[in-house]
Structure formats: C-alpha cells, structure tokens
Amino acid sequence: MAVFFGLAWGGVTGGHVAVTIVADRFSRTVSRMLAILVWGGSSAFLGWFTYATTLRAISATQRKEIRMGLVQWPMWPMRWVIVLGLAMLCLVCVANTVRSLRAQQLLPADSAGEEAVAEADVDVPIEQRISA
C-alpha cells in the first residue's frame, strides 16, 4: 500500500532515478518535445490505469471482497488505497505535462535537493554550521 503513495511523492520530490545520458545531448526544443511526449504518454497511461483500477475497486467494494486464510481480511479498502496512489501519480504526470507545454521547469523545481545544500555548506567553517 505504501508503495502507491510513494510513487507520487517520488515524482514530486525527484526521488526517482533519472538517466539523462542521451537527453543531455538534445537541443532545448527536442528535449521539450520529448518531455511533452513522455509526460503526456505517462498521463494517458496512468489515467487509463487509474480508471481500470477504480472499476476493480468498485467491484470489490460491492462484493465485500475478503482474503481467505487463517483470518478473513477485507481486501476492498486496500484497492481504494491503490486507486488514490495512482490518481496522485497521474496528477503529478499531468502537472509535468502542463509545465512542459508551458516551457516551465518540471517538478521538482530544484532536483538537486539535499545535494545542493550539502555543496553549499562545504565552504562554510564548521563553527558557523554548528552554531546555525
């Protein structure tokens, strides 16, 4: 369950793995078109996937789906958690698609994150970093 919420959070914070060996060699225009294509395709796929998962969750809720075993465990609430996680990831993809279309920086706005903070502290004496 936590994985589905983590997907959207990774997309917003830049916690995903990004390899830009080829994309770094493209011009700005080609990179922007590629971003629009990739984020638009991801949005479409996740929209469809969220829709299909929603139908499955509705069906599971109507049937009060349970998992048989030593203890009967209701499965239908977990299916709704998956739907929410996928919907949030779809929103991140749609936001990045719109930002690509407007030629704005993609989410996260500062992909360097903690690394930029660590690099900024290198020239600061240890005494100043401790007192801050």
Side-chain angles (χ1 to χ4, degrees), residues 7 12 27 44 47 50 66 68 70 90-91 109 118 124 130:
L7 290 172
V12 170
S27 67
T50 303
I66 59 170
M68 300 298 278
L70 189 57
C90 186
L91 288 176
V124 178
I130 292 173

Side-chain angles (χ1 to χ4, degrees), residues 3 6 22 29 39-40 63-64 72 82-83 92 96 98 101 108 118 120:
V3 170
V22 176
T29 305
W39 286 112
R63 293 182 290 117
K64 302 288 186 209
Q72 291 184 352
I82 294 169
V83 168
V92 170
N96 277 333
V98 170
L101 288 168

Side-chain angles (χ1 to χ4, degrees), residues 10-129:
V12 170
T13 61
H16 59 282
V17 175
V19 179
T20 60
I21 293 171
V22 176
D24 287 343
R25 295 175 183 6
F26 294 148
S27 67
R28 280 193 182 278
T29 305
V30 173
S31 292
R32 182 170 170 237
M33 291 307 193
L34 185 62
I36 292 168
L37 178 70
V38 168
W39 286 112
S42 296
S43 299
F45 174 76
L46 282 165
W48 166 77
F49 199 50
T50 303
Y51 172 75
T53 307
T54 301
L55 293 179
R56 180 71 171 101
I58 291 170
S59 172
T61 303
Q62 289 172 343
R63 293 182 290 117
K64 302 288 186 209
E65 182 181 11
I66 59 170
R67 181 173 180 193
M68 300 298 278
L70 189 57
V71 177
Q72 291 184 352
W73 192 262
M75 291 300 295
W76 61 270
M78 307 326 163
R79 296 203 184 273
W80 286 107
V81 170
I82 294 169
V83 168
L84 289 174
L86 289 172
M88 287 189 299
L89 181 57
C90 186
L91 288 176
V92 170
C93 290
V94 168
N96 277 333
T97 302
V98 170
R99 292 176 76 85
S100 295
L101 288 168
R102 293 182 178 171
Q104 294 175 332
Q105 189 172 3
L106 301 178
L107 296 174
D110 179 16
S111 62
E114 295 175 10
E115 295 164 0
V117 173
E119 289 174 8
D121 286 343
V122 171
D123 295 332
V124 178
I126 188 80
E127 295 83 19
Q128 288 179 356
R129 283 188 270 163

